[in-house]
Amino acid sequence: MKRIFQSRISELLPTFALTILLIAAMLSVPVKANPNEHHVYPEESIQGAINAASPGDIIIVHEGTYAEKLTIEPGKDGLTLKAAEGENVILNFSDRAGLGILEKTEGAIEVNATDVAIQGFTIIGYNITGELWDYQRSSKYFPTIKALSGADGLKVIGNEFTVPDGSVAAAALLIMDDCDDVQFINNIVTGYAWGVTGRLEDTKNPQGIDNLLVQGNTFNIPIIEGIHPRTGKDEGIGVGVQLWYGNNLTVIDNTFIGSFDQATGNYEDPEALCNHYAVATFTFYFSTDIIGDIHVRDNLMTNLYLGVGVLSGGSGEIESNSIYGNMIGIQLGQVSGIWATAPAARLSIIGNNLTDNILGIWVQNITLGIFTSFNNIAGNSQYGVLNEDPENNLFDATYNWWGDPEGPTVGAPPPASGDVVSDYVDYEPWLTAPLMPDPDGTGVVVSSQSGEDEALEYPDSNVEVVVSGSAEVYVSTYESNPGSGFTGDVGSYIDVYVPDVSGLTELEIRLYYTDAEIEALGLDESSLRMYWWNGAIWVVCSDTGVNTDENYIWARIRADTIPSLSDLTGTVFGAA
């Protein structure tokens, strides 16, 4: 028996070895340098083309309406599914039952291969309004595109997500845990209760959704309403971007337009529930460390219950956004009897226009390292900043414009001068003039650069800063004179802030001008000098001059100058 068994094994070895080699070869198939194109026309099947495609192939779908569930399985890495250029290609997922999508958690398009692209379609979602409220309110059910954990590198680009008139769809893009490097770019999303959302299946062992980029999209966000199944309270749902757990969430250059009416909204009761917001992150609930790396920049957010909610976690920035006409502009941390209570931490909130909200910034629960400066916080009807942190942690809100040169109103609304700030808010010193709006309409002209023995450029402020040593330097531009008037004023006013001057030996500030500007003002170019505002009067800098060849006014700041390096904690400069 032993000899016969060995003989049979020896007979099988060549075939067995060949099978192993074939499997290894299949697993390591590279994406082709010259992909094949598959063209799909009406009455043909997109899924059939997907099934026939090899890794890296391109499927081009031509004008028409297609109604079929689509699945991109493992082994289709690098596949591109796109509408033919200039043609109206509709993917209609409004009849899930007719498409054979029987499970509520199934995606109409399910992706489980890496580096897939979905591009250029009009996508009609399933109307959820007839479903039970518990199904409507959860991003888990009825997703349009569902990225499974094997869909790293998914790109959803240039699509229009729509719904039938009078209806609401669920998630445009649902990303499952441990799916990384997803991009959602230049899409229009209208009528979806959830725009882009991430979801955990196992909260005890979360892997995270890392490197999510949401850029250049327009989200028209509805509110759908129901009764919370466990509390019996009124509840509203409508979300642009939500991430439960992960790192490096980047949301830039998007427009978020909600359906919330400040005058008639039903959710001003703090005990009610309204999850109607542009961006919310919950990156701390399922981790022992405060993580997040959140980057929310250059977005417009209006007519929402909440603009940006860092409801747990942090570590990043909310920068250069225009957040106006909302119930709440920014919420930091959360204290809740329903969801977990968690803090926000390590955030820079810089260069935002927070205007005409009911609450500009609502601080619910914070810990360390939140830096909130160089924002326009004005016209918010109840509070510019309301701090209700349960531990009474002080909220740093220095160097902001509060809508009045005399600063904020301290105490109960309505304001006597600037926006109201509550207790436990550090608001001094404040800016005495508004900051200049960005040309693109989001945020204000403010930026930070770091460098060592180099020139740092701030083109939006017409400023260059030459660093001798090393430092991080903030430069912002005022819309008007933040001090008293002075003769020969050039009309440019900047604020220079250096958080830590210990690594500096000298800072040279260069404010650029044009010959036409100086000629129009009737000024002698050779007499131009830089001034600084000492809090009471404009004072000429002690080491200043003009470079008439390169058209900039300069001031060198050292330990022995006026102003000195130690004065660069929000120092205002002008020129005359």
Side-chain angles (χ1 to χ4, degrees), residues 1 21 61 91 151 175 190 205 337 355 402 498 500 502 518 551:
M1 283 293 297
L21 288 172
V61 185
L91 305 181
I175 307 167
T190 301
N205 185 34
T355 58
W402 299 98
V498 182
D500 182 2
S502 61
I518 301 306
N551 285 23

Side-chain angles (χ1 to χ4, degrees), residues 487-520:
T487 305
D489 186 359
V490 169
S492 295
Y493 315 98
I494 61 171
D495 201 306
V496 179
Y497 172 72
V498 182
D500 182 2
V501 299
S502 61
L504 280 176
T505 56
E506 181 180 275
L507 202 72
E508 181 178 325
I509 303 166
R510 298 174 177 177
L511 177 61
Y512 283 83
Y513 61 86
T514 66
D515 291 332
E517 290 171 336
I518 301 306
E519 184 178 349

Side-chain angles (χ1 to χ4, degrees), residues 282 284-286 311-313 333-344 364-366 388-391:
F282 308 80
F284 178 65
Y285 284 169
F286 309 112
L311 304 179
S312 67
Q334 183 167 315
V335 177
S336 171
I338 299 171
W339 301 110
T341 293
Q364 277 207 19
N365 193 350
I366 58 172
E388 295 186 323
D389 178 75
E391 302 298 324

Side-chain angles (χ1 to χ4, degrees), residues 366-389:
I366 58 172
T367 55
L368 55 107
I370 296 182
F371 172 71
T372 304
S373 295
F374 304 109
N375 302 281
N376 284 342
I377 306 175
N380 300 289
S381 60
Q382 288 189 9
Y383 283 92
V385 176
L386 172 62
N387 186 358
E388 295 186 323
D389 178 75

Side-chain angles (χ1 to χ4, degrees), residues 324-344:
Y324 67 94
N326 307 294
M327 175 72 183
I328 306 163
I330 296 172
Q331 179 178 331
L332 301 175
Q334 183 167 315
V335 177
S336 171
I338 299 171
W339 301 110
T341 293

Side-chain angles (χ1 to χ4, degrees), residues 173-238:
L173 173 61
L174 171 61
I175 307 167
M176 302 308 293
D177 193 20
D178 201 24
C179 178
D180 301 331
D181 305 311
V182 173
Q183 298 182 11
F184 192 83
I185 299 175
N186 294 340
N187 301 282
I188 299 172
V189 182
T190 301
Y192 281 70
W194 308 85
V196 177
T197 180
R199 189 169 186 90
L200 303 181
E201 288 300 310
D202 182 2
T203 58
K204 295 181 179 180
N205 185 34
Q207 301 302 307
I209 298 168
D210 298 336
N211 307 322
L212 171 61
L213 173 64
V214 181
Q215 179 175 4
N217 306 282
T218 296
F219 296 88
N220 298 297
I221 308 170
I223 297 178
I224 57 173
E225 301 179 32
I227 303 298
H228 192 282
R230 288 174 289 283
T231 67
K233 294 182 181 294
D234 288 343
E235 183 177 33
I237 301 291

Side-chain angles (χ1 to χ4, degrees), residues 1-6:
M1 283 293 297
K2 186 175 181 180
R3 285 194 298 273
I4 295 171
F5 182 77
Q6 288 176 335

